[in-house]
Every structure is written in structure tokens, then in C-alpha cells.
Amino acid sequence: MTDLIEVMYEEIDFDRLELPYDDRMDPSEKYPELATQIRGTFQVFYEMGSSNLKLLFPTIKEGDSKKVSWSMTGVGLGLGIDYLVELRILSGSGVTDPFFFGTSESLKEADLYSVNGQFRINKQVIYYSPNPDETWTYGFGISQSEFEFDTSIGKKKISLANIFIDTGVQAFAEDYPVSLKILLEPHGISVSPSFGIKFFF
């Protein structure tokens, strides 16, 4: 019996039975079914911001010492595996010190002050991040905001377009991102906590 086993070992070339393994191969080549998948991201945002009125709206009269603050909630839908392209929609409200809208000296300032210092805000954002799965992450984007003020002569709307950058820390980034970021814009600074879910489809 031993002699028969020895003969079998001599006849079989075990080296030829070993399959080569190329660690340089891309995972999508090893597992083609993954190459067709797209990762989506759904996130919920809460944003708190503050600024100076003159910095926010340079054309406003006598706004140098006026403070503005706001808070918003919203959602974002994004796509990407090694990057993230996201569309966000947020809305909320804020408060400001009373201020004068007019620029003509012929208008009575008392008639043009905001009624109660409160306003509504809507914001749309296109955002890009090159490292959405990292603990320390960053990105940049373009935002379009619309402010609606109540004044003694009716509603007043002001639109504002900005570019911004953000950076912050996050946990569970690959599946259930929970993050806290700082947004830096030309007109002010905001803090934005968020949470979400990432999924393949």
C-alpha cells in the first residue's frame, strides 16, 4: 500500500495544480458582480450658523454691528464609492438685529426696519468630497440661499450664492456616517452635525 502511494506522488505534479494568485488584481476583476454596483448615500443635516449683517449682505445700510444667526435642517442624496457627489436641500429660520433695508435718504428709516428681526431661509447645495469614508474628511461645494425677511412694508427676499469648504470628523463612515463638520463661507461660519446611511443598488 505504501509503495502504491509513493508511485502516485511521483506521477502527480502538484506544482501544476496550484493556481497563481495575483495580488495586483483589482477587486472588481476578482468579483465582477461588484463592478456594476453604485453606492448611494442618504444623510440628514442640521446646520447652525452666524455672521455679521454687513458681511452677509454688503449692500445693507448700517449693518456693521448687526448680528445674524440661523439654524436649518435638511437632507442630502449622494453617489460615489471613493468619492461623494451630493445634492442637499435645507430650510430653517434665523434672527437678526433690526436693520434698515433702504439706501435712499428720502425714505424714512423707521418705515423700513424689519418687523421682528426674524427671517426664513432656504438653501440648496451641490457638494463634493474626495475622501467621504475617512475619519477626518473634507470637501467643497456651491450653495444658493434665499432669505425672506418680514418688514413693515411687506416681505423682502434676498438671494445669496457662495462657494464653501468644510472639514470635520466622522464615525462609521463606510456604512452609517455620523459626522460633525465646520463650514467656512465668505460670509460666515457654520457648524453642521449629520447622520446617514450608505447602500448599494
Side-chain angles (χ1 to χ4, degrees):
M1 188 69 177
T2 304
D3 294 337
L4 179 60
I5 294 175
E6 291 178 355
V7 171
M8 291 176 61
Y9 270 97
E10 292 175 359
E11 294 294 329
I12 299 174
D13 186 359
F14 287 98
D15 292 335
R16 295 182 60 188
L17 296 178
E18 293 181 4
L19 295 176
Y21 176 74
D22 188 355
D23 58 2
R24 297 170 299 174
M25 190 179 295
D26 186 85
S28 63
E29 296 179 15
K30 299 177 188 177
Y31 309 102
E33 66 276 11
L34 296 181
T36 59
Q37 291 183 319
I38 300 174
R39 188 174 71 175
T41 303
F42 174 80
Q43 297 193 84
V44 177
F45 295 91
Y46 178 72
E47 181 180 316
M48 299 174 293
S50 63
S51 181
N52 173 277
L53 186 66
K54 195 69 174 179
L55 186 62
L56 192 62
F57 305 118
T59 60
I60 295 295
K61 184 178 181 181
E62 298 179 347
D64 293 334
S65 61
K66 309 294 185 179
K67 296 179 180 179
V68 183
S69 61
W70 63 86
S71 63
M72 292 183 286
T73 57
V75 297
L77 293 174
L79 294 174
I81 295 180
D82 297 323
Y83 61 90
L84 176 68
V85 177
E86 188 173 51
L87 174 64
R88 302 174 185 171
I89 300 176
L90 303 99
S91 63
S93 60
V95 294
T96 180
D97 297 329
F99 63 92
F100 179 49
F101 265 114
T103 58
S104 173
E105 296 300 332
S106 63
L107 297 175
K108 294 181 179 180
E109 296 188 10
D111 294 334
L112 296 177
Y113 273 99
S114 58
V115 173
N116 51 21
Q118 297 181 346
F119 61 88
R120 287 163 293 281
I121 179 173
N122 295 303
K123 186 177 183 180
Q124 296 82 43
V125 177
I126 298 176
Y127 176 76
Y128 173 78
S129 174
N131 68 338
D133 294 342
E134 300 296 329
T135 300
W136 290 98
T137 183
Y138 67 94
F140 54 89
I142 301 173
S143 67
Q144 175 71 35
S145 302
E146 184 178 75
F147 298 79
E148 183 179 279
F149 296 89
D150 290 325
T151 76
S152 57
I153 60 172
K155 297 184 183 299
K156 174 75 173 180
K157 293 183 179 180
I158 299 180
S159 295
L160 182 67
N162 266 319
I163 58 173
F164 68 91
I165 60 173
D166 73 3
T167 185
V169 61
Q170 62 182 351
F172 316 111
E174 294 184 0
D175 298 303
Y176 305 102
V178 178
S179 66
L180 179 63
K181 294 183 179 181
I182 296 176
L183 283 69
L184 301 175
E185 300 177 281
H187 65 254
I189 186 171
S190 301
V191 177
S192 178
S194 65
F195 65 91
I197 182 173
K198 294 178 179 176
F199 51 90
F200 285 95
F201 61 92

